[in-house]
Every structure is written in C-alpha cells, then in structure tokens.
Amino acid sequence: MSLLTHLLACLFGMGSWVSINGLWVELPLVVPHIPEGWYLPSYLSVLIQMANVGPLFVTLMHRFRPGALNEAAVIYAIIGLGTAASFLLAFFWKETVVVAGAPRSVALLILTFFLATVDCTSSVTFLPFMMRLKARYLTTYFIGEGLSGLLPALVALIQGVGVVHCINSTGSFNHTLNSSDSSVTFDLRAEYQPANFSAEVFFFFLSAMMLVCLVAFLLLNYHPSVARERPSYTNGGKEKSEKDRKWAEQKPMMDPYRPASQKRRSSFGTGLYSWTQVLYIFVILAWANALTNVVLPSVQSYSCLPYGSNTYHLSATMAAVANPLACFIAMFFPVRSLLLMGALTATGSGVGAYIMGMAALSPCPPLVHGTSGSVVIVLAWVLFILTLSYVKVIIGLILRDEGHGALVWCGAVVQLGSLLGAVTMFPVVSVYGLFSSGDPCNTKCQ
C-alpha cells in the first residue's frame, strides 16, 4: 500500500465537510456580532437543505445523461468555490445590508449557501471519484471525512470558543463552571470567555484546509505513485487508454471472494444483492445519516448543557473523535454483514433514543446533580457516533464493490437522509420550541 496515497485520500476526504462543520463550531463567536443573533442556526439549516440542489443536479445527470458530466471538473470547481467562499468570509462575515428596513447579514448568508453547496455536492462527487483507486483507500477517505469535523472542533477548542465563566449579577464574584460544584447559586449568569484569536483567523484556516484538499486532489490525479494504486494500472507500468479508464470507472468492482459463476439476484451493480436487500441498505444509510448529521446534533446542547458546559464540550469533542475512530476500525475489520449492520444500527438508534430522552427532559434530566450523569451522557454520545459511523463506512464499502453508479446513489441517499432529518427537526426545535435549554450556571432542579 502507498502511504502517500493514503495521506492524500485522507486530506481529500477532509475537504468534504470541513467548511460547514467549521462554521457551526464558530457560531458562539459569530452570533454576538450579527443582527440575526441565535436565529442564525435556523437560517443555516434551511440554507444547507437548499444547497441540496447541487447533489440533485449531479445525481440526475448521472441517471439520465451518464458520462456527460466531467466528474473531475466538477470537483475542481466545487473545491475552488469552497476555497474562495471561506476566504471571503474572513472579510465580509460582519457586513450587513438593510433589507425590508432591517439590517441583514446578506454576505454571510450567501457565502454560507455556497459553502453548503460545495459540501453537499461533495457527497455525490468525492465518493464516486474514489472508484479510481483501489478499494482499501475508500476507508482512508472516510477517516478524512471524519476528521473534517474533528479538526475544526480542535482548532475552536484552542481558540477558546464557548468557554463559559459564571459570574454574579454584580460582577464581584468570578467562578469557572463546574457542574458538580454545589456552591453555584441562582444569582450567577454565564459569560463567554474572550477568544484567543479572531473569527477572521479561523475562516482563513478553513480556506487553507480547502486549499490543502485541492492540492491533494491534484496529486491524486497526476502523481505517478498514485497511478500505481488505480485498478486500471497494468503490470507493464502503463495505464489503459482513456476510453478503457472511463469504462473501468463505470463497471462494477468485483469482490475477489465472490464466486465468478454466482447468479445475479438483481440488476443493481454486480447483482449480488436482491432489490429488497438494496432497499434495506439504502434505508439504513438514510436513517444513520439523518440521526448523525441532523436529528441528534440539533439537540446536543439540550442533552448535555444541564450537566454543565464542560460536559457539553467534552461530549462534542469525543463524538468528533469517535467518527474517524470508527473508520479506522473499519479499515482492519471491514465486516460486510447485513445482519451486523442491522444490529449496530439498532444499537446506535437505541443510544440515540436515550440521548433524545435526556434532551426532552432538559433542563432536569436524571442524574443532573452527580458526576455519573455527565459520564453517562458523554459515553452515550461516543457510542452513538461510533456505531453508526461504522455502519456508514461498511455501507460505503459495500456500494463501492457494486460500482461507480452505486456510489453516486450512496451520496444522494446521504443527502436525502440529512434533508428528511432537517425537515423533521427544524419545526420541532426552532418553530415550536419543544426543548428547553439548561442554564450552565444555575441548576433549578430539585
């Protein structure tokens, strides 16, 4: 295996969602300086779902005009757009324009839409591109995709985003938050600690990460060492013709452990899976992405803040670590069992139900006064992300074996699951306000 190719595949995967993930973790610094205030997350959710026009267009082109869309050109375009939009955010995120008699962050919202279009479209372009490399590099790509959430979170942690101090109303008492400290009383209020560096610097960092992704993609296309890792590479050291290479991208990648004479069970991919099994795989994929990308993240603060700000930040960080960890495990144990997939999905969904229950009971969930409550909720978040991330990687490997078109549909179903999750949770959280946030400084539970 080429370590260089593994590194490039990882860096390429990191560019898939780093921009939007970075914007989410930077919200505590952005919100106080814009007129939308804490309504901004709701606007972002709508913009991200509107950006699904990108993957919809790509999917329809693959379905009705196969081969007409130059996949590499689309990837170059969206990475370039993501780099430029992240760079421009550093200069214009504070700028406002009067619309309908009120100031609005028009530049921020437009640039966010561009970033969301880039990230959403990556689901139906980056994954199919990985068909050009051997199957083992797909897991490395998923590790990079997991790091696209972890790395911005770590940088934001260094930046000091969301670090809360509790002070009393007169300002004469300063106390660093500790959810297990019984001395915290009702006269305290939360105050965010100033950041170690500005939001502008953070947006420059996001732009640099997109530039790294672009360089990685260039090397994946043109570096000689990477060429040897392509399925179309021959022992004589020459690649097949352009026509043959394009055909190799479209043909199913056969599983070496699959009997060559096995009867086709459907017209999907290699025909290994029946249409019922294909539907089962895609339903699980949509369900897992709805839960991990939208449904549970939308209530993470409600499930964790009653136990303290430290618990919230620890759960967010450890959940971000669990994603690439699951991909790393899948690299060594790529078990393609549909039964195991269902069992892990049921386990992750059960843990997710516990997290949702804690969010619904906020601000007074069980064990709110003890350390055990913090430990349980953090472990729940880690197990939830770990199990469902492993499921998503295994589905990616299964569909990779079924061919280029299967990976296009994989990306489309990922976005569909996220869309359905957003449509479900947006009215529940943002319109009807069915969840109550815990106060990180004042516990009102008996």
Side-chain angles (χ1 to χ4, degrees):
M1 289 189 295
S2 168
L3 291 179
L4 174 63
T5 307
H6 275 296
L7 176 62
L8 293 177
C10 183
L11 293 176
F12 178 55
M14 285 177 61
S16 59
W17 282 93
V18 70
S19 299
I20 290 298
N21 287 334
L23 188 58
W24 277 111
V25 299
E26 195 69 3
L27 284 182
L29 286 188
V30 171
V31 163
H33 301 282
I34 60 173
E36 289 78 9
W38 279 107
Y39 286 105
L40 180 63
S42 300
Y43 296 155
L44 294 186
S45 299
V46 174
L47 288 173
I48 291 171
Q49 302 318 313
M50 290 173 59
N52 278 305
V53 65
L56 177 63
F57 170 76
V58 173
T59 304
L60 292 177
M61 286 293 291
H62 276 286
R63 175 63 180 86
F64 296 106
R65 296 288 301 277
L69 199 64
N70 188 324
E71 195 169 74
V74 173
I75 294 176
Y76 281 123
I78 63 174
I79 296 178
L81 178 62
T83 304
S86 301
F87 186 77
L88 291 174
L89 265 180
F91 297 99
F92 298 107
W93 70 272
K94 284 184 180 179
E95 300 298 322
T96 60
V97 176
V98 176
V99 178
R104 301 293 179 189
S105 303
V106 175
L108 173 63
L109 296 176
I110 291 176
L111 291 173
T112 298
F113 174 76
F114 287 148
L115 290 179
T117 303
V118 168
D119 290 359
C120 290
T121 309
S122 72
S123 296
V124 293
T125 52
F126 286 21
L127 267 177
F129 171 81
M130 293 305 295
M131 279 291 297
R132 301 188 184 187
L133 301 176
K134 295 176 182 177
R136 55 176 170 256
Y137 296 108
L138 183 61
T139 308
T140 311
Y141 167 84
F142 280 119
I143 292 176
E145 194 175 77
L147 291 175
S148 71
L150 174 61
L151 193 59
L154 293 178
V155 173
L157 198 62
I158 297 171
Q159 187 183 15
V161 171
V163 177
V164 177
H165 282 212
C166 295
I167 63 173
N168 71 347
S169 56
T170 61
S172 60
F173 176 75
N174 192 313
H175 173 73
T176 301
L177 176 65
N178 185 336
S179 60
S180 63
D181 191 340
S182 60
S183 65
V184 178
T185 58
F186 295 119
D187 61 345
L188 299 179
R189 62 181 176 85
E191 184 175 276
Y192 286 99
Q193 179 178 314
N196 296 321
F197 53 87
S198 66
E200 288 83 356
V201 174
F202 187 85
F203 290 136
F204 283 135
F205 158 76
L206 294 183
S207 180
M209 289 305 304
M210 292 302 299
L211 193 59
V212 167
C213 175
L214 178 60
V215 173
F217 182 62
L218 281 167
L219 293 175
L220 284 173
N221 274 296
Y222 298 110
H223 198 283
S225 296
V226 178
R228 300 188 187 97
E229 301 302 317
R230 294 173 184 164
S232 58
Y233 189 83
T234 65
N235 292 331
K238 297 180 180 180
E239 293 184 84
K240 295 182 179 180
S241 65
E242 182 69 14
K243 181 178 179 181
D244 289 343
R245 183 183 64 79
K246 289 182 178 180
W247 178 81
E249 291 171 4
Q250 301 295 330
K251 76 180 184 68
M253 302 301 295
M254 298 299 293
D255 188 340
Y257 300 102
R258 187 179 308 168
S261 59
Q262 185 171 18
K263 184 179 179 181
R264 291 177 63 90
R265 303 176 65 184
S266 71
S267 59
F268 181 81
T270 63
L272 175 65
Y273 300 101
S274 67
W275 282 114
T276 302
Q277 291 174 320
V278 172
L279 179 62
Y280 167 79
I281 291 170
F282 279 129
V283 167
I284 285 183
L285 180 63
W287 174 258
N289 279 279
L291 292 184
T292 57
N293 295 351
V294 181
V295 175
L296 271 300
S298 65
V299 298
Q300 185 168 23
S301 61
Y302 300 106
S303 68
C304 298
L305 272 182
Y307 299 100
S309 180
N310 291 338
T311 300
Y312 171 70
H313 286 292
L314 183 60
S315 70
T317 303
M318 294 304 296
V321 171
N323 192 323
L325 177 60
C327 302
F328 188 75
I329 294 172
M331 179 180 290
F332 296 97
F333 302 99
V335 183
R336 291 170 170 81
S337 167
L338 299 187
L339 182 61
L340 177 64
M341 186 192 305
L344 290 177
T345 302
T347 301
S349 300
V351 177
Y354 171 80
I355 295 172
M356 183 64 72
M358 296 305 99
L361 294 173
S362 175
C364 298
L367 306 175
V368 70
H369 293 295
T371 305
S372 58
S374 299
V375 173
V376 170
I377 196 66
V378 170
L379 290 178
W381 270 100
V382 171
L383 183 59
F384 166 73
I385 296 296
L386 191 67
T387 52
L388 293 186
S389 294
Y390 182 87
V391 167
K392 291 191 290 184
V393 175
I394 293 305
I395 292 178
L397 294 176
I398 288 175
L399 296 178
R400 199 269 180 201
D401 291 340
E402 298 306 306
H404 181 276
L407 281 182
V408 174
W409 282 108
C410 176
V413 172
V414 166
Q415 293 306 119
L416 176 62
S418 300
L419 173 61
L420 293 176
V423 169
T424 302
M425 293 306 296
F426 179 77
V428 172
V429 176
S430 303
V431 178
Y432 298 108
L434 299 183
F435 294 89
S436 300
S437 181
D439 191 327
C441 290
N442 299 312
T443 302
K444 301 181 180 179
C445 306
Q446 298 300 323

